[in-house]
Amino acid sequence: MTEGASVSMDREASIFSVFLRLEESARQALTIEALRFAIVNEPRRLFDYRWAALISGASNETAQVEALSGVAVLDKNTPMICWLGRVANQVVARPEASDPHTLQPEQICERDRHDWMEWSPSQILWCPL
């Protein structure tokens, strides 16, 4: 085995180890709030992101923001959370809502596009659980 292959395998093993620790963290959550917190915060061990949100609701329900990374107690009345709820409701109404995909500003209504740059990166990864 070459040195480069060994380094690559070590890196992959390290990433997989972190992934297993994330799973363990989720399984050890004693409350639904702790699980929600783990879902939006723990993946930072694997990759960087501006923020993550956990949203509940199906196509026939109103989407609700349940957790936001970096926030211990979610205030559902803040402007960003209200905006995110409106955007989520637009997404869950679409046929592709059950599939992972990227969301771009032009895919939401004009009213909510205005706030996009203040609260969101250039695109959002929609990843249903």
Side-chain angles (χ1 to χ4, degrees), residues 56-74:
S56 66
S59 60
N60 60 344
E61 301 173 351
T62 300
Q64 297 289 320
V65 179
E66 302 292 349
L68 186 68
S69 58
V71 176
V73 178
L74 187 69

Side-chain angles (χ1 to χ4, degrees), residues 62-105:
T62 300
Q64 297 289 320
V65 179
E66 302 292 349
L68 186 68
S69 58
V71 176
V73 178
L74 187 69
D75 179 353
K76 294 187 178 190
N77 296 313
T78 63
M80 180 190 176
I81 299 303
C82 292
W83 170 81
L84 188 54
R86 289 191 311 270
V87 170
N89 277 304
Q90 293 172 56
V91 176
V92 298
R94 297 186 181 143
E96 67 270 18
S98 60
D99 298 321
H101 63 281
T102 57
L103 184 65
Q104 316 258 341

